[in-house]
Amino acid sequence: MAPRAGFPSDAAALALDGDWHFRLGAGLHDLTPGFEDPSHDVTGWETVSVPSCWQLDGIPDAPRRGSPAYTNQIYPFPVDPPRVPDANPTAEYRREFTLPEAWPADGGRSVLRFEGVDSCFAVWLNGSRLGDGKGSRLPTEFDATAALRPGRNVLAVRVHQWSAGSYLEDQDMWWVSGIFRSVRLLHRPADGVRDLFVHADYDHLTGEGILRVDADPAAAGTEARVTVPELGLDLRAGETVRVAVEPWTAETPRLYDATLTAGAERVPLRIGFRRVRVEDGLLKVNGRRILLRGVNRHEWHPETGRTLDRSTMLRDIELMKRHNINAVRTSHYPPDQEFLSLCDELGLWVIDECDLETHGFELVGWRDNPSADPRWRDAYLDRMSRMVERDKNHPAVIMWSLGNEAGTGDNLRAMAEWAHERDPGRPVHYEGDRDSGYVDVYSRMYADHDETDRIGRCVEEPTKDPALDAHRRALPFILCEYAHAMGNGPGGLVEYQRLFEQHPRCQGGFVWEWIDHGITRRTEDGRAFFAYGGDFGEVVHDGNFVADGLVLPDRTPSPGLVEYKKVVEPVTVSVDRAACTVGVRNGQDFADTGHLRWLWLVEDAGELVAEGELAVPPVPAGESVFAPWPPELRTAARSAGTGERWLTVRAVLGKDLPWAPAGHEVAWCQERLTVSGAGSAHRPTGFAPASAGGGSITLGPGTFDPETGRLVRLGAHDMAGPRLDLWRAPTDNDLRGWGGSVAERWRAAGLDRLEHKVLGVAPGDGGLTVRTRVSAAGTDAAMEADYHYRVPADAPGQLWLTLEVRPVADWPFPLPRLGVRAALPAAFDTVTWFGAGPGEAYPDTRAAARVGRFTSTVAAWQTPYLFPQENGHRTDVRWAELTGAGGGLRLLGAPHFGLTARPWTSEDLDAARHPTDLAPRGALYVNADLAQHGVGSASCGPGVLPAHRLLPGPSTLTVGFEAMEG
C-alpha cells in the first residue's frame, strides 16, 4: 500500500505480537514447500518472539539461531549489486490468529502493518500472497481485505537476511535480522481517513499559530473535521485558521490535544506549533537561531538488539534531558515511531534520517554506487517517501536527512527535491556531498577545531564550482558527527563548544554516539560482559568500534556523558568574588530560568561550612543577570578556615518535570575563596637523617632496599614503593588515529617494558637520594630519574618524595603519563580524597570535575569500558587516604597530583580484551601522576589538542606518604 502517516485511531486493531512458529533455513535452497498453506503442519517447529532479532535468541548465553555480526563499513558479503550470496539465512514465520467476531464489516479495508522487518520479506495470509517489502527500518502495509476470513486465520512470513536492500543498509551497526518491530492488523473504515498532514505553523511576530489539517478521506464525499478544545477550534479539514498559541520548542514542548473526525473514525492528534526556516544563513525555529546540543542515536538494547520497548525509549530521552542534550539525529534510519512521540512530548529537536547508507562502496572506489545509478532511484525515493509520510506530523522533527555516507549521485538530489516539494516546512540535510547544492544546511563529520573555526568564519577551503561554493558558504553549519565517544573520551568538547557559541554560523552538532552496542554474554563461570565485533566468530568485523557511546550498553552514563552535560549546560553560572555577585547567563534559545532554583554552599577542605539559596529573578533566553550574595554567604566567605575554602553554586529544578524530579542539577560552578592549611605545599623546618644498617635503609617511617633504593615498608605496611611510570593501557583514541596510532609509537619506544637501572643509592643527613636511568631494550632514549626522599623534622610521620626527571636523547612524541607507581596491600579497598571528582578526569575531559571531598570503593573507582583501557584517573588531588583492614596510607600533594588506584596493573589492562579478563593480583596498584596525556577523539576524529599533550621535558613531582595504623 502507499505510504501514509503513522497515527493512532479508535478504529479496530489486533496486535499480532507474541510467540510465532519459526524455522530458520540456510537460503533459497533450504525452504519449506507450502509453509504458507494454512493446512501445513508446523507443530514440530520452534517458536520465536515477535518482535525480536533472531540472531539474539539465546542471549546472554550462546546464540541459537545464527550469530550477530558487526561491521562499520565493509559489506559482509561480496559487493556485486544487486546480487547477494546463496548462503542467505532465511526465516519462515507462522502465526495463527482468530479474527474477533466484532471485527467491522462496513466495507472498509483490513490492513496488515509491519513496523520493521530486516531485510526483505514476503507475506501470505491464508495462503494468498499479499506482497513483499524491503526497507528494514520503515513500515510496510498490505491490503489483507480479500484474504482475511472470519475466525481462524494463518499469517505466514518469509524473511531473508540479505537482499538487494542490504546494499542500502550498510550502517555502522550489528547485522541482525527478523521481524524486529511490531505487527498489527488494522481496520481502515470506509468513511475514515486514509492519510492526514498537520500543518501547524507559528508566526513569532504576532504570536499566532496557523493551523491546517489536510485529510485524505478513504471515501469520496466524507467530511473530516478537526477540533482543538483548548483553542476553541472546530473546523473542516483543509481549512486554515490563525489563533494565538504557545509555540512548541524543545525547551518548551507545548502540545495541544486535538481530534480529527471522519465518519465513525476518530484520530487523536497532538499538535505543536512551530516554524523551521533557514534565514540569513542561520537555522531558525520560531524566528530564533537555535544551538544543537545533540547526540546520534542508534536503536539498541544489549539483549534484544534493535527491538526496544517504550520504557527503554523513555529511559533514553530522560537520560538525554538530564544531561542537557536537546537534539537527536536518528542515525542512520528512522526510529520506532514511539520514540518520536516521546520527543514531541518531552522536547527534543530531531533530525529524522532515512534508512540509507552505502558506505561499503567507498572501499571499491564508489564503483556501482547505487546513489549514482538511476536503476536504484525508485528504491531511494520509496525510502524517503515512507519516512516523510510516516513522521510528517511530529513537531519534534525539524529536519529530514537523506541518509548517511552514501556518496554522491542524482538519486540523492531526487530525494531532496521530492522532500522539498512534499514538505516545504522542513529543511533537508545530507553530509556526504561537500557541494551541498540540494540541501539546506552545510554538514560535516569530524572536522577538527581549526577547520570548524574556519567554517565559522566562512574562510573554509573553496570547492570547484563557484556558484555551489557561494551557496554552501551561505548555509548554516552543523557537525552531524563529532567528538567520537569511544572508550575513554571524548576529549576537546570544551573547545568545540566555544566555537559553537562564538560563531553564529556554527549551530552545534551531534556527538557520535549515544550508546555502546555491546551484546550481553556470560563467561563459563557466569560473569556477565558485553561482546563486540569478533566475539561471534565473524569472518570480517570491526572489533570494538561498535562501542563508541556516551552510555554503556546497560545505559549507565559514562564519564564522557557527564563531561558533555557540563560542557553544554544551558545556563552558565559564574562567581565574581570581588563584587560578591553570582552571574547567570541563560544560554537557552526560548525558555527563561523561572523553573530553576539557585543553591549555594561553602566548604572548607571539603567540609560544609554554610549553605543557602540565592534570589535570582527569571532570566530571559539569551540574557544575563548578576545576583548579590546574601549576608550568610558574605559571612561564610570572609570567615577564617583551616583549608581551601570553595563556593559552589548549583542550578537545580525547582519542581518535578516529566523528565526529572525537583532538585535535579542542571548547571553549576565553583570559585575558590581562600587558601590555607591543607592543599598548600609543605614547607619543612628541617629534615631527618637516613641510616643504613641491618640490610636496610631507614628514613623516618620508611624502610628501603639498600640495593635498589626502593621503599619496601611504610610504618607497619609492606609495599613495593614508588617507581617512575610512563605507561598507561592505551585508550581507544591512543590505539586508533587518523594521523596514526600514538600507542604504536609508545610501544615501539618500549614504554610498556621499561627497565630501571640504579645508578646510586645515597643515604645522608638530609634524607635519601636514589639515582636511576629508565629506558627500554633497543633504544637509547631514556629518562634520568632521581628520587629524593625527605622526612620533615616537624612532621616525622611523613615521608616526602621529590622526583626529578630529565629526558635523555630524542623523545619525538608525547608521553602517556609521568608519575610514579607503587603496590600497596590489597586490603586497602576504599579511597577518600580531597580534590577534583567525583568521576574520572583527564587534561581535556575535566570540565565536569569539581573540587570536594569524596569517597569510593576501589571497585567502584574503575570505569568498565567494554574494551579495557586507561581509566579512573582523578585529577588535582590534594590528599588521599587508601584504607581497609589493618589501616591505610595517606598520600599528600604539594600541591596536587593525579591519582589512580586499581587491583590490577596497567599491563593487565593492556592485555585484557574484556573486563572479565581482569583478575585482582593481590595488591593495590596506585599511581601518583604529575601529568597525563589528554585523550582526544582520534579513534574517529582529531587527536589531542596541543594544550593537552604531555611533551617530554625536565619535570618535578613532589608527593608525601604517611602510614595510617589500623
Side-chain angles (χ1 to χ4, degrees):
M1 299 184 72
R4 65 183 177 94
F7 56 83
S9 166
D10 67 349
L14 181 64
L16 297 177
D17 293 350
D19 289 337
W20 291 45
H21 285 97
F22 181 89
R23 176 186 176 273
L24 183 62
L28 293 176
H29 60 284
D30 184 21
L31 304 179
T32 303
F35 94 107
E36 71 278 6
D37 191 317
S39 65
H40 186 85
D41 185 6
V42 295
T43 55
W45 284 25
E46 297 179 296
T47 60
V48 70
S49 177
V50 171
S52 69
C53 305
W54 78 61
Q55 291 91 343
L56 296 183
D57 186 54
I59 292 298
D61 299 312
R64 297 192 299 117
R65 299 186 173 109
S67 294
Y70 166 62
T71 63
N72 165 37
Q73 182 178 6
I74 187 172
Y75 286 106
F77 47 79
V79 181
D80 182 26
R83 290 181 283 269
V84 295
D86 293 335
N88 186 3
T90 298
E92 295 166 334
Y93 292 79
R94 286 255 307 213
R95 165 71 192 257
E96 292 190 16
F97 65 91
T98 299
L99 189 70
E101 292 184 4
W103 194 259
D106 59 0
R109 316 301 295 172
S110 292
V111 174
L112 267 171
R113 182 177 177 92
F114 293 79
E115 298 292 348
V117 183
D118 191 313
S119 73
C120 170
F121 67 111
V123 180
W124 292 262
L125 181 61
N126 298 321
S128 297
R129 183 161 178 164
L130 302 185
D132 47 70
K134 299 184 182 77
S136 299
R137 267 67 66 178
L138 293 159
T140 307
E141 290 187 328
F142 302 95
D143 189 340
T145 309
L148 192 65
R149 301 172 181 170
R152 177 179 180 263
N153 287 264
V154 177
L155 178 60
V157 182
R158 179 174 287 145
V159 180
H160 304 281
Q161 178 166 2
W162 309 124
S163 69
S166 301
Y167 285 100
L168 306 184
E169 296 173 3
D170 188 30
Q171 293 97 336
D172 176 8
M173 60 187 184
W174 291 97
W175 296 91
V176 289
S177 316
I179 305 174
F180 71 94
R181 289 183 186 158
S182 289
V183 183
R184 290 175 296 159
L185 180 69
L186 306 175
H187 177 64
R188 304 306 307 131
D191 58 355
V193 175
R194 195 200 74 82
D195 196 11
L196 63 97
F197 196 164
V198 177
H199 303 273
D201 195 7
Y202 177 72
D203 186 340
H204 66 279
L205 298 177
T206 65
E208 292 178 314
I210 303 97
L211 177 63
R212 186 183 84 249
V213 179
D214 293 334
D216 182 4
T222 299
E223 181 182 77
R225 297 197 68 83
V226 179
T227 57
V228 190
E230 190 174 358
L231 297 176
L233 296 180
D234 184 346
L235 59 151
R236 295 188 313 277
E239 181 182 349
T240 300
V241 63
R242 298 180 70 100
V243 60
V245 298
E246 299 173 45
W248 188 97
T249 75
E251 297 165 7
T252 55
R254 181 66 160 93
L255 294 172
Y256 290 88
D257 290 323
T259 302
L260 173 68
T261 302
E265 183 177 24
R266 284 167 175 75
V267 177
L269 305 176
R270 305 207 76 190
I271 298 174
F273 292 89
R274 89 284 181 277
R275 175 178 294 177
V276 186
R277 294 284 190 273
V278 174
E279 299 173 331
D280 307 317
L282 299 175
L283 174 64
K284 296 181 180 180
V285 176
N286 302 338
R288 297 187 184 183
R289 171 190 183 263
I290 63 171
L291 183 58
L292 301 170
R293 303 171 171 95
V295 292
N296 286 275
R297 175 186 177 269
H298 271 288
E299 292 186 302
W300 190 252
H301 187 281
E303 296 181 13
T304 60
R306 273 192 286 282
T307 300
L308 303 185
D309 58 18
R310 185 181 187 276
S311 65
T312 301
M313 300 178 214
L314 178 60
R315 176 66 175 152
D316 278 345
I317 295 176
E318 288 175 341
L319 278 170
M320 290 176 189
K321 297 284 286 188
R322 291 176 184 180
H323 288 85
N324 297 330
I325 290 164
N326 71 358
V328 172
R329 176 178 174 231
T330 68
S331 55
H332 296 295
Y333 43 81
D336 189 299
Q337 193 175 1
E338 182 64 23
F339 179 80
L340 297 180
S341 296
L342 290 169
C343 292
D344 294 339
E345 180 180 338
L346 299 179
L348 286 172
W349 309 118
V350 175
I351 296 182
D352 201 0
E353 190 148 273
C354 194
D355 189 11
L356 173 64
E357 181 167 336
T358 65
H359 200 181
F361 282 90
E362 184 179 20
L363 299 177
V364 295
W366 293 109
R367 289 188 302 276
D368 299 322
N369 180 23
S371 297
D373 186 337
R375 293 176 295 179
W376 292 83
R377 183 162 302 172
D378 287 347
Y380 275 56
L381 291 173
D382 172 71
R383 289 171 182 250
M384 192 68 187
S385 64
R386 285 159 68 191
M387 175 183 71
V388 170
E389 299 295 359
R390 188 197 75 165
D391 297 340
K392 61 197 174 193
N393 296 322
H394 289 283
V397 176
I398 61 169
M399 201 179 306
W400 303 117
S401 179
L402 305 180
N404 184 70
E405 293 176 319
T408 60
D410 283 344
N411 293 340
L412 294 162
R413 179 184 295 275
M415 294 169 73
E417 291 173 348
W418 182 91
H420 280 129
E421 181 176 355
R422 176 59 175 147
D423 182 24
R426 289 183 176 95
V428 171
H429 165 276
Y430 179 64
E431 178 272 339
D433 190 340
R434 189 69 61 89
D435 283 337
S436 306
Y438 45 82
V439 294
D440 303 295
V441 297
Y442 178 34
S443 177
R444 288 289 310 283
M445 291 182 181
Y446 307 110
D448 63 21
H449 301 80
D450 180 65
E451 184 180 3
T452 301
D453 178 56
R454 286 186 279 111
I455 292 172
R457 293 183 288 116
C458 294
V459 295
E460 68 265 32
E461 291 294 319
T463 52
K464 293 181 180 179
D465 187 314
L468 287 175
D469 186 65
H471 166 75
R472 189 194 74 251
R473 291 175 191 273
L475 299 179
F477 173 71
I478 65 169
L479 276 166
C480 67
E481 294 179 21
Y482 83 113
H484 195 254
M486 188 175 184
N488 189 336
L493 288 171
V494 168
E495 291 81 1
Y496 271 120
Q497 195 66 20
R498 286 173 185 162
L499 294 171
F500 299 156
E501 295 176 359
Q502 175 185 353
H503 299 303
R505 185 190 186 194
C506 295
Q507 294 193 237
F510 298 82
V511 170
W512 185 266
E513 65 168 306
W514 175 241
I515 190 168
D516 286 344
H517 300 206
I519 296 177
T520 304
R521 296 296 307 275
R522 292 194 185 101
T523 61
E524 291 183 359
D525 59 358
R527 292 175 297 143
F529 70 98
F530 295 114
Y532 49 75
D535 284 338
F536 297 96
E538 300 100 308
V539 175
V540 293
H541 65 85
D542 286 293
N544 67 310
F545 204 66
V546 76
D548 45 17
L550 290 171
V551 297
L552 304 182
D554 61 1
R555 287 174 164 75
T556 298
S558 75
L561 180 59
V562 177
E563 177 79 357
Y564 192 44
K565 174 186 178 179
K566 175 61 179 171
V567 170
V568 298
E569 286 176 340
V571 293
T572 302
V573 190
S574 60
V575 172
D576 188 329
R577 192 171 54 186
C580 294
T581 60
V582 171
V584 174
R585 181 178 66 84
N586 184 0
Q588 297 180 111
D589 299 315
F590 299 95
D592 66 24
T593 62
H595 62 298
L596 298 175
R597 295 175 60 200
W598 307 88
L599 308 181
W600 63 265
L601 66 136
V602 173
E603 294 173 303
D604 197 353
E607 296 288 346
L608 181 65
V609 173
E611 61 183 331
E613 185 167 350
L614 285 167
V616 180
V619 184
E623 297 187 16
S624 301
V625 300
F626 294 90
W629 292 2
E632 300 87 351
L633 174 51
R634 290 173 179 264
T635 299
R638 288 195 299 262
S639 63
T642 60
E644 290 186 39
R645 181 157 292 191
W646 285 82
L647 167 63
T648 304
V649 181
R650 304 168 58 234
V652 303
L653 293 182
K655 61 180 180 180
D656 292 346
L657 291 180
W659 46 270
H664 166 76
E665 184 178 273
V666 174
W668 60 273
C669 81
Q670 279 191 317
E671 180 75 14
R672 190 165 64 183
L673 300 175
T674 62
V675 182
S676 64
S680 59
H682 183 78
R683 301 184 183 279
T685 58
F687 298 106
S691 61
S696 65
I697 298 173
T698 302
L699 176 61
T703 302
F704 297 81
D705 183 305
E707 300 298 326
T708 64
R710 194 167 189 187
L711 179 65
V712 296
R713 191 172 183 81
L714 188 73
H717 308 307
D718 292 332
M719 62 186 297
R723 217 162 53 156
L724 178 67
D725 190 12
L726 305 179
W727 181 246
R728 73 182 185 194
T731 67
D732 287 306
N733 293 314
D734 296 334
L735 289 165
R736 304 168 184 265
W738 289 1
S741 167
V742 68
E744 290 181 3
R745 303 176 72 187
W746 292 342
R747 291 191 200 280
L751 298 188
D752 57 338
R753 49 184 174 83
L754 294 174
E755 297 186 17
H756 299 255
K757 172 65 175 177
V758 177
L759 303 179
V761 178
D765 291 342
L768 172 67
T769 295
V770 181
R771 296 179 53 245
T772 68
R773 187 179 190 273
V774 181
S775 58
T779 178
D780 63 349
M783 290 285 184
E784 291 181 346
D786 294 345
Y787 303 77
H788 303 287
Y789 289 97
R790 303 287 186 267
V791 172
D794 57 350
Q798 297 179 359
L799 176 67
W800 285 84
L801 166 64
T802 296
L803 173 68
E804 295 180 344
V805 178
R806 298 174 299 279
V808 178
D810 187 25
W811 291 80
F813 49 80
L815 299 175
R817 74 174 346 126
L818 179 60
V820 294
R821 185 171 82 186
L824 307 180
F828 298 173
D829 59 2
T830 300
V831 187
T832 299
W833 75 102
F834 175 49
E840 72 181 30
Y842 291 81
D844 50 354
T845 61
R846 56 181 296 158
R850 67 186 79 187
V851 176
R853 184 177 297 197
F854 308 100
T855 297
S856 171
T857 64
V858 169
W861 183 282
Q862 318 307 311
T863 303
Y865 294 114
L866 270 67
F867 184 84
Q869 56 197 273
E870 165 64 34
N871 72 89
H873 180 262
R874 267 63 172 182
T875 188
D876 291 344
V877 176
R878 280 72 164 162
W879 56 259
E881 295 176 350
L882 305 131
T883 57
L889 176 74
R890 181 179 291 112
L891 294 174
L892 304 167
H896 307 153
F897 60 94
L899 179 64
T900 307
R902 54 176 66 107
W904 38 71
T905 66
S906 297
E907 291 76 14
D908 295 333
L909 272 176
D910 190 11
R913 291 297 171 263
H914 298 92
T916 48
D917 296 337
L918 294 164
R921 277 179 169 263
L924 177 66
Y925 296 91
V926 175
N927 279 84
D929 290 328
L930 176 67
Q932 280 220 27
H933 186 54
V935 294
S937 60
S939 55
C940 188
V944 177
L945 288 167
H948 306 306
R949 296 171 188 164
L950 177 53
L951 302 178
S955 304
T956 301
L957 167 68
T958 298
V959 62
F961 305 87
E962 186 174 6
M964 302 171 64
E965 305 304 328

